Amino acid sequence: LYNPVDTEIFRPADRREETSDTITLLLAGSHWSLYRPRIALEVLSLLYQRKRNVRLKIAGRFCWEKSSGKAEQQVRALAKRYGVEEMVEYIGSYTQQEALTLLQQSSILLHTKYNDPCPRLVVEAMACGLPVVYSATGGVPELVGGEAGVGVDGPIDWEHDHPPDPEELSHAVERVIANLEQYSQAARSRAVQKFDVAYWLDRHKETFIALQRS
């Protein structure tokens, strides 16, 4: 069973108050390696160079340094180097309740982690109608399927990380942008059909009843 999501709570906003055609990319979760935000910033830079109207939100803890402040300084320095510091918003740590608003106010989940096994973040994003652009490694391709986002292939390796290629990710983002509403509807539909918590609870109930009878 995959990590579930309560699709009655995690759902698209009733009404999106968008005042522009800006696309908001979201990088979220606990960032244990610098490559995760670095790749996202490179993607943002490439899209900016191609005149795409995009912004990036980075949410979650920076964990590769003992000091999260020092780690954030490294990320901000990279954003300045890539010329995108004005297009990045830093959210920091967030609660489960805050995650809902964060997802509902974003357009696309940019998931740069290599070999992620079964991230709850991905199914929560899909439940909120966010397509996923991601490293097509680990368990994420099983979650997203072929219609709820676009993945970038990576090698199979259990010893080393292989960050996804920023150029390929940027083109994947553009593919999603070109059919954003279609991808959004597919993401929501897949989350409801395959990952809703009600199904997860029913399957556990069946298992425990079977164990009691054995």
Side-chain angles (χ1 to χ4, degrees), residues 22 54 58 68 95 114 116 141 167 195 211:
T22 302
V54 293
I58 301 179
S68 60
T95 65
Y114 173 73
D116 208 352
E167 184 76 32
F195 307 118
L211 287 171

Side-chain angles (χ1 to χ4, degrees), residues 59-186:
R61 299 176 299 150
F62 297 129
C63 306
W64 63 87
E65 295 279 2
K66 291 183 178 179
S67 166
S68 60
K70 181 178 179 180
E72 183 174 325
Q73 288 177 359
Q74 295 173 356
V75 177
R76 289 181 178 271
L78 284 174
K80 185 175 183 179
R81 182 193 306 174
Y82 296 140
V84 295
E85 66 268 33
E86 298 299 322
M87 291 171 282
V88 183
E89 179 181 355
Y90 300 88
I91 306 297
S93 298
Y94 57 93
T95 65
Q96 185 78 350
Q97 184 175 1
E98 291 168 337
L100 175 60
T101 301
L102 183 63
L103 290 166
Q104 289 180 335
Q105 293 178 348
S106 301
S107 311
I108 298 170
L109 180 69
L110 183 60
H111 196 66
T112 59
K113 184 176 179 180
Y114 173 73
N115 254 359
D116 208 352
C118 188
R120 186 187 299 271
L121 168 65
V122 167
V123 295
E124 290 175 344
M126 290 165 56
C128 291
L130 268 67
V132 186
V133 173
Y134 61 99
S135 168
T137 55
V140 182
E142 292 182 56
L143 302 179
V144 180
E147 298 179 350
V150 179
V152 170
D153 290 338
I156 298 176
D157 188 343
W158 308 111
E159 301 295 331
H160 305 284
D161 284 336
H162 296 269
D165 180 76
E167 184 76 32
E168 292 186 33
L169 278 178
S170 69
H171 289 302
V173 169
E174 289 181 311
R175 281 181 57 187
V176 171
I177 291 174
N179 293 285
L180 184 57
E181 187 61 30
Q182 179 179 335
Y183 277 107
S184 177
Q185 291 176 2

Side-chain angles (χ1 to χ4, degrees), residues 45-60:
S45 177
L46 289 166
L47 293 169
Y48 175 68
Q49 292 169 29
R50 298 203 287 269
K51 310 301 182 183
R52 291 291 187 177
N53 191 8
V54 293
R55 297 187 63 81
L56 174 67
K57 289 183 180 181
I58 301 179

